[in-house]
């Protein structure tokens, strides 16, 4: 069944038709939670928990406005036409072996613009010729309903369910995507597509490749759509801030619970499992990434995810974990002594890193950048280590900085949002604006074979990471509920 929207969008401002559109939720189960199937989770008119049809319309509206206003810089502005077609593919299901799927994870750019959570979907947005920008129409291509497939893989929304649930203007079956795109090959169009990543190989081969090849032969401009989407995604709306705070609350509780729970002699995997259990119990759909649970010298392997060793009495444990909460992720690291009490040496290094982190967090204000803060991190960490007497020999300033970069080989942080390393199209030199969220995560990694450092400090790896919201005023630490000071960590671990 092909559904057509009942409104002539041309001539209606986006705000107008958003209020006219049906406010009711679909009265049957779909392939994702709805107010009908999950009344404990969602309100009527929400597409995903915490985000309404209106929110998603605003995102599509803003994207087309951004593209039409050519805020996206181009070397060939004279060649840019005033018609645009934007194609964003959804992810496929990935399989670990025959018929055994990995948990489905939607392409975040697609999810950002539609909220639609079924695999093998596609959003096509067209600017409306003859209308004032940013009028446009959005067509969502979805899998058709199929009783046999639905018996095995679960219910699908179909064109009618997707139309009603998401509030896009039109829906079509995914099989008609290729023909639809071919019908839209016009020399007046600029095509926007994510050609850096192979989001969905099958949809690409079946429907998109031919369209792009024909367009290319005709000399039609094809532009990277990820940059303007990321520009938009980098600034979080108030609804998104609420979801990110919740995501941070969930992982803060999970880590703090695990601190109280853990004991010397446990396997790292048990802490991993405990974090995942508490996060899901509190509303996370999954962890944001395979967590790092690294005790002792293993904390010096930056992306250690084996998590399969016994945690020895007296060692520090580094836990780096995040929750995925209805599309928004957190990313928090804490380092704590497995027996609940820092040794003198552990405390000295831990508090040095903590002072550096607190200085960096205070700098998370308008006008600064992640790169600016990185420079402050290396300087202050260098000073801390020098004052502590970590190095065996007296060092010249240039040698000291060289050593610091070896002891903290990663950056001070990254953008955070729907992805852990969010909006990679946005440079770390970008000056902060209100609504941006970043991590601040200085680390200190002294391998047990590091001969430049006094032997008592070797075999210790420390990272402290929080998620920070940039505001007009003071930065907000979204993950502030996770214990961080030596006193708070020791107190919660004494209770366990
Ligand atoms: Mn991080």
């Amino acid at each position: 069944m092909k559904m057509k929207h009942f409104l002539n969008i041309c001539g209606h401002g986006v705000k107008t038709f958003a209020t006219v559109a049906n406010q009711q939720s679909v009265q049957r189960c779909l392939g994702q939670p709805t107010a009908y199937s999950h009344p404990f989770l969602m309100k009527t008119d929400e597409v995903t928990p915490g985000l309404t049809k209106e929110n998603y319309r605003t995102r599509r509206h803003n994207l087309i406005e951004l593209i039409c206003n050519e805020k996206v810089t181009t070397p060939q502005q004279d060649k840019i036409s005033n018609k645009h077609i934007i194609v964003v593919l959804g992810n496929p299901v990935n399989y670990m072996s025959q018929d055994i799927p990995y948990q489905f994870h939607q392409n975040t750019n697609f999810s950002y613009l539609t909220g639609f959570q079924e695999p093998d979907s596609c959003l096509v947005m067209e600017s409306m010729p003859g209308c004032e920008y940013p009028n446009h129409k959005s067509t969502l291509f979805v899998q058709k309903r199929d009783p046999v497939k639905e018996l095995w893989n679960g219910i699908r929304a179909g064109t009618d369910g997707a139309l009603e649930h998401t509030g896009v203007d039109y829906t079509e079956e995914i099989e008609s995507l290729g023909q639809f795109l071919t019908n839209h090959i016009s020399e007046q169009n600029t095509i926007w597509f994510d050609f850096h990543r192979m989001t969905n190989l099958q949809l690409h081969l079946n429907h998109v490749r031919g369209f792009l090849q024909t367009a290319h032969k005709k000399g039609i401009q094809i532009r990277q759509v990820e940059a303007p989407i990321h520009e938009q995604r980098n600034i979080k709306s108030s609804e998104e801030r609420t979801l990110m705070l919740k995501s941070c609350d969930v992982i803060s509780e999970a880590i703090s619970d695990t601190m109280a729970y853990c004991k010397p002699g446990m396997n790292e995997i048990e802490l991993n499992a405990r974090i995942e259990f508490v996060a899901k119990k509190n509303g996370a759909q999954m962890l944001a990434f395979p967590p790092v649970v690294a005790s002792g010298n293993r904390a010096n392997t930056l992306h250690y995810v084996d998590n399969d060793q016994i945690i020895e009495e007296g060692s520090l444990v580094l836990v780096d974990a995040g929750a995925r909460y209805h599309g928004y992720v957190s990313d928090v690291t804490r380092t704590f002594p497995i027996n609940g009490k820092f040794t003198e040496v552990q405390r000295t290094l831990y508090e040095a890193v903590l002072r550096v982190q607190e200085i960096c967090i205070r700098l998370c204000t308008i006008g600064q950048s992640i790169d600016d803060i990185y420079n402050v991190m290396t300087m202050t960490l260098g000073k801390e280590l020098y004052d502590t007497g970590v190095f065996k020999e007296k060092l010249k300033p240039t040698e000291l900085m060289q050593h610091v970069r070896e002891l903290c080989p990663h950056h001070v942080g990254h953008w955070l949002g729907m992805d852990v390393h969010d909006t990679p199209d946005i440079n770390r030199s970008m000056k902060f604006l209100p609504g941006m969220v970043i991590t601040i995560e200085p680390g200190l990694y002294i391998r047990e074979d590091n001969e430049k450092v006094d032997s008592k400090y070797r075999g210790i790896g420390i990272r402290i990471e929080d998620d920070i919201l940039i505001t007009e005023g003071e930065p907000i630490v979204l993950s502030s509920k996770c214990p961080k000071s030596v006193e708070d960590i020791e107190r919660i671990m004494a209770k366990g």
Side-chain angles (χ1 to χ4, degrees), residues 26 59 68 72 154 196 217 234 273 288 336 371 409-410 423 444 485:
V26 189
R59 291 172 174 188
C68 291
V72 184
H196 284 167
K217 276 189 207 137
N234 198 27
F336 50 91
D371 282 344
H410 58 70
T423 59
L444 175 62
S485 69

Side-chain angles (χ1 to χ4, degrees), residues 289 303 320-321 330-333 412-416 420-421 438-441 463 465-467:
F289 50 89
H303 286 170
D320 184 349
S330 40
D331 181 9
V332 175
T333 307
V412 70
H414 51 84
W415 310 110
L416 190 72
V420 179
H421 289 178
I438 55 163
T439 67
I440 290 291
E441 48 180 310
R463 178 164 66 255
E465 175 178 30
D466 280 298
D467 302 340

Side-chain angles (χ1 to χ4, degrees), residues 383-454:
K383 184 175 181 313
E384 286 285 352
L385 296 180
Y386 189 84
D387 293 349
T388 309
V390 163
F391 299 109
K392 284 198 296 188
E393 292 162 21
K394 265 208 160 309
L395 298 168
K396 292 185 204 130
T398 50
E399 290 172 321
L400 177 65
M401 293 322 288
Q402 174 64 28
H403 284 3
V404 166
R405 279 191 288 271
E406 282 168 21
L407 293 178
C408 181
H410 58 70
H411 211 293
V412 70
H414 51 84
W415 310 110
L416 190 72
M418 299 181 79
D419 291 314
V420 179
H421 289 178
D422 206 48
T423 59
D425 261 53
I426 309 295
N427 201 286
R428 282 172 165 144
S429 63
M430 168 100 184
K431 299 291 179 191
F432 294 149
L433 294 168
M436 291 179 177
V437 177
I438 55 163
T439 67
I440 290 291
E441 48 180 310
L444 175 62
Y445 310 94
I446 307 176
R447 293 166 59 100
E448 56 193 2
D449 59 359
N450 188 332
E451 307 226 319
K452 292 170 187 161
V453 169
D454 190 323

Side-chain angles (χ1 to χ4, degrees), residues 30-243:
L30 306 182
Q32 69 190 86
T34 67
Y36 173 78
S37 63
H38 294 66
F40 56 91
L41 184 65
M42 294 185 57
K43 298 190 190 80
T44 306
D45 215 40
E46 279 182 347
V47 183
T48 54
L51 292 165
T52 62
K53 291 177 189 173
E54 173 85 42
N55 295 142
Y56 283 101
R57 276 196 200 98
T58 303
R59 291 172 174 188
R60 292 191 294 270
H61 170 101
N62 289 346
L63 176 64
I64 205 100
E65 190 171 45
L66 201 59
I67 281 174
C68 291
N69 288 346
E70 295 181 3
K71 283 178 194 159
V72 184
T73 54
T74 160
Q76 301 165 285
Q77 262 184 7
D78 53 323
K79 274 195 76 184
I80 294 281
S81 68
N82 58 1
K83 280 188 184 173
H84 303 272
I85 180 157
I86 300 162
V87 181
V88 185
L89 291 173
N91 277 344
V93 173
N94 288 314
Y95 291 86
M96 59 181 83
S97 64
Q98 177 78 40
D99 295 336
I100 306 301
Y102 289 104
Q103 188 170 3
F104 179 67
H105 181 247
Q106 189 57 283
N107 171 17
T108 45
N109 286 336
F110 176 83
S111 193
Y112 179 78
L113 294 168
T114 65
F116 195 60
Q117 300 302 317
E118 291 184 18
D120 298 320
S121 316
C122 180
L123 173 70
V124 180
M125 293 172 62
E126 306 155 70
S127 61
M128 298 287 283
C131 283
E132 282 288 302
Y133 291 133
N135 274 330
H136 67 279
K137 67 172 189 178
S138 297
T139 308
L140 186 59
F141 292 80
V142 303
Q143 290 182 54
K144 68 173 171 221
R145 300 206 64 188
D146 177 335
V148 178
K149 279 192 184 164
E150 289 184 45
L151 170 68
W152 289 94
N153 303 325
I155 296 163
R156 293 289 172 238
T159 47
D160 57 339
L163 182 75
E164 208 177 332
H165 183 64
T166 61
V168 293
D169 307 315
Y170 299 94
T171 49
E172 301 249 11
E173 287 171 0
I174 191 73
E175 283 73 19
S176 57
L177 175 63
Q179 190 58 53
F180 182 95
L181 291 175
T182 305
N183 294 345
H184 283 77
I185 293 180
S186 146
E187 266 132 64
Q188 275 81 53
N189 267 333
T190 298
I191 296 165
W192 297 77
F193 181 69
D194 180 8
F195 49 76
H196 284 167
R197 281 186 313 158
M198 185 50 72
T199 303
N200 191 318
L201 179 64
Q202 213 55 52
L203 289 185
H204 188 82
L205 294 178
N206 293 349
H207 300 286
V208 184
R209 188 173 60 168
F211 162 70
L212 291 178
Q213 283 171 343
T214 311
H216 183 69
K217 276 189 207 137
K218 287 178 181 276
I220 295 168
Q221 272 228 41
I222 304 170
R223 300 278 304 274
Q224 172 55 254
V225 74
E226 197 156 62
I229 298 178
H230 282 184
E231 189 175 329
Q232 222 184 314
R233 274 177 53 179
N234 198 27
I235 308 281
K236 274 72 183 174
S237 67
S238 64
E239 293 83 4
E240 289 181 292
R241 296 174 203 186
T242 304
L243 287 161

Side-chain angles (χ1 to χ4, degrees), residues 318-329:
L318 184 155
V319 166
D320 184 349
R324 176 169 290 281
Y325 184 82
H326 300 298
Y328 288 83
V329 301

